[in-house]
Amino acid sequence: MSSFRKRVPESQPKIPPATRLNAHSAQLLVSTGVPSLDDLLGGGLPVGGMLMIEEDRQTGYSNTLLSYFSSQSLAAGHKLCIVNADQEIDLKTQLPGWATLNTVQADAPVKDSTNEAMKIAWRYQNLPRVDGDDDANRQKTGSSSTSEAAEIPFCERFDLMLRIQPAIVDQAQVEVLDGDRLLRLASSEKYGGDMYQCVLDHISSLIDDGFSSLKPVALNTERNILRIEIGSLGSGFWQGSDSLAILKFLHRLRGILRYSYAVCVISFPAYLYEDSGTRLPIVRRIEHLCDAVIELESFEGAYASPSDIVARQAKSGASTSQDYHGFVHIHKLPRLNSLTASVGRLSLLHTGGGSANNLAFRLRRKKFSIETYHLPIEGGVSERRVPAKDDPKALRPGISVGGIGCGSTPGRKDPLEF
């Protein structure tokens, strides 16, 4: 009799909600809340990994990505821990809301996709979309039976014009260490003002409370995900025991995350670690301690003073919906459980090999997206390049509107014109 046993679905462990497996490395992934950023990371942020976002100078686009990450945590039912020593956190006014298919299209008639006219070329109809709305998947999820709980989507559709509902924030599992509270905890006799050690002990206690992969759980027990958001790590408000406190913090944090069902997103003000426009060597060491590193370089804050930025924002019609707001530089890609990054095989925007300076981001009224950067049309889209046929100014003096062609006489109709 064979000693091998077939694994049935009942005996397999359940994956946490709003997660999926990487097709390349079988790594468990969670969404950052931005579909285009998930695509750059190879499908999502790997569980047990750490993403660092190098902040843009004098603008707040990195805070927008952090708000997406927090809203996705609440939408998926994950536990959220927010650490920010620079400002006070108010989730009810800072996080964007989302509209599910059931609430938005409850009164809308059901469309028949078979009779709908084709609006695009047939060869592009079935191609995957980075920022496309996965309506088919959501409709299939929402049509499940009433006896089974509806499956939580991997990434919600967020709207920056909406604010999150206060009832969702009240029911969510959220822990916040911000401003005065973090300073008060770090000033205790145990830490002696070391904020890095205070935050590290707090995160370690959260992971030990049900999010550690070293502690087994009962059969058919569904695990949950712990999301950690750290804003402006290493800014002037962070106090450490020595100048290398941030390196020790990241090294220990990465070791804790490796054996946990947790993910961490950190924003880092890299522009504060510069000397005469050149980055200090410690920035490279900080990037080495993270699993993935991206940088946002905004056009407004790169080479402009604060007064120039305010004047540009106050000027009406300064930018349109077709304008990009900055570049996205990829310094490091996640390689958990693999020697090579899976971005080259799974990404639609990036083909691997590091940043090629061909990615840009734009912030619209309702969403933040990362796209392939294209040079604008010379002269703009409002300028006409070919003069109109009925424009008398486009013809030379003495020539009528009849036109000039091969073998034709000025003022007469071209005999070769059919």
Side-chain angles (χ1 to χ4, degrees):
M1 183 177 180
S2 176
S3 60
F4 293 99
R5 294 182 180 180
K6 183 179 180 180
R7 296 186 65 181
V8 294
E10 290 78 7
S11 62
Q12 296 180 0
K14 294 183 178 180
I15 63 175
T19 59
R20 64 186 178 190
L21 295 177
N22 190 333
H24 174 62
S25 61
Q27 179 71 31
L28 194 63
L29 304 177
V30 297
S31 175
T32 60
V34 182
S36 53
L37 181 56
D38 293 339
D39 178 79
L40 292 180
L41 298 176
L45 182 61
V47 174
M50 183 166 45
L51 168 65
M52 173 169 286
I53 304 173
E54 296 184 358
E55 297 180 0
D56 43 310
R57 187 188 303 269
Q58 300 177 354
T59 51
Y61 295 110
S62 60
N63 294 331
T64 304
L65 291 180
L66 294 180
S67 64
Y68 270 100
F69 181 77
S70 300
S71 293
Q72 178 61 37
S73 176
L74 302 185
H78 299 163
K79 188 170 183 177
L80 177 63
C81 176
I82 301 179
V83 180
N84 197 314
D86 292 18
Q87 59 181 350
E88 301 292 334
I89 302 298
D90 186 8
L91 300 181
K92 297 180 181 180
T93 59
Q94 296 177 357
L95 297 187
W98 66 90
T100 59
L101 186 66
N102 297 332
T103 57
V104 175
Q105 300 180 351
D107 299 333
V110 179
K111 296 182 179 180
D112 187 5
S113 59
T114 58
N115 297 330
E116 187 178 2
M118 185 180 298
K119 298 181 181 180
I120 60 176
W122 62 269
R123 61 181 300 180
Y124 304 113
Q125 186 176 13
N126 296 325
L127 290 179
R129 296 175 56 187
V130 176
D131 277 334
D133 298 332
D134 197 2
D135 292 337
N137 188 20
R138 293 173 183 269
Q139 292 177 359
K140 183 178 180 180
T141 302
S143 62
S144 59
S145 60
T146 57
S147 60
E148 298 180 359
E151 183 182 356
I152 302 177
F154 178 75
C155 182
E156 272 288 354
R157 293 177 296 177
F158 298 100
D159 190 348
L160 296 177
M161 299 291 292
L162 303 177
R163 294 292 98 183
I164 192 170
Q165 300 179 4
I168 298 179
V169 179
D170 296 336
Q171 298 174 2
Q173 307 177 37
V174 182
E175 293 198 17
V176 179
L177 289 178
D178 60 344
D180 296 337
R181 183 186 177 188
L182 179 57
L183 182 61
R184 186 169 55 254
L185 292 177
S187 301
S188 61
E189 184 179 356
K190 179 180 179 181
Y191 301 108
D194 191 354
M195 290 186 177
Y196 294 99
Q197 186 62 37
C198 176
V199 173
L200 194 63
D201 290 347
H202 184 75
I203 294 176
S204 179
S205 62
L206 290 178
I207 292 178
D208 292 338
D209 189 15
F211 297 98
S212 177
S213 60
L214 301 177
K215 298 180 180 179
V217 296
L219 190 63
N220 295 331
T221 300
E222 189 177 54
R223 287 185 178 269
N224 201 1
I225 298 295
L226 172 63
R227 290 174 177 253
I228 305 171
E229 174 191 321
I230 304 178
S232 298
L233 180 69
S235 65
F237 291 93
W238 284 82
Q239 303 175 7
S241 58
D242 51 22
S243 58
L244 301 179
I246 185 174
L247 298 178
K248 300 176 183 178
F249 172 80
L250 293 175
H251 187 272
R252 294 186 58 186
L253 178 60
R254 187 177 65 172
I256 295 175
L257 293 176
R258 282 295 187 271
Y259 300 96
S260 67
Y261 284 85
V263 292
C264 182
V265 174
I266 302 173
S267 65
F268 174 64
Y271 57 88
L272 297 179
Y273 295 80
E274 293 182 356
D275 185 12
S276 301
T278 305
R279 288 190 174 183
L280 301 177
I282 192 176
V283 177
R284 181 57 182 167
R285 298 179 63 182
I286 292 175
E287 294 176 353
H288 180 71
L289 292 173
C290 300
D291 299 308
V293 181
I294 65 172
E295 178 186 359
L296 301 181
E297 181 187 359
S298 63
F299 297 148
E300 295 180 351
Y303 304 102
S305 61
S307 58
D308 296 336
I309 296 177
V310 174
R312 189 179 305 176
Q313 293 177 349
K315 184 179 179 180
S316 59
S319 61
T320 62
S321 59
Q322 301 296 330
D323 295 336
Y324 297 101
H325 292 87
F327 287 119
V328 177
H329 304 284
I330 303 177
H331 297 298
K332 191 176 182 180
L333 295 172
R335 291 177 173 87
L336 276 71
N337 294 348
S338 178
L339 296 177
T340 59
S342 58
V343 177
R345 299 176 177 86
L346 304 177
S347 177
L348 300 177
L349 292 175
H350 191 70
T351 57
S355 176
N357 294 341
N358 61 342
L359 296 177
F361 67 89
R362 66 176 67 186
L363 181 63
R364 298 185 178 93
R365 293 173 52 193
K366 294 187 176 182
K367 69 175 183 178
F368 180 97
S369 62
I370 300 176
E371 305 172 3
T372 303
Y373 180 74
H374 300 284
L375 293 176
I377 302 176
E378 183 180 0
V381 295
S382 59
E383 180 181 351
R384 186 180 182 89
R385 281 166 170 67
V386 180
K389 293 183 179 181
D390 54 350
D391 188 4
K393 298 181 181 179
L395 303 177
R396 290 180 295 179
I399 299 178
S400 62
V401 187
I404 301 176
C406 179
S408 62
T409 304
R412 297 182 181 180
K413 186 176 180 181
D414 188 0
L416 300 180
E417 182 180 0
F418 297 98

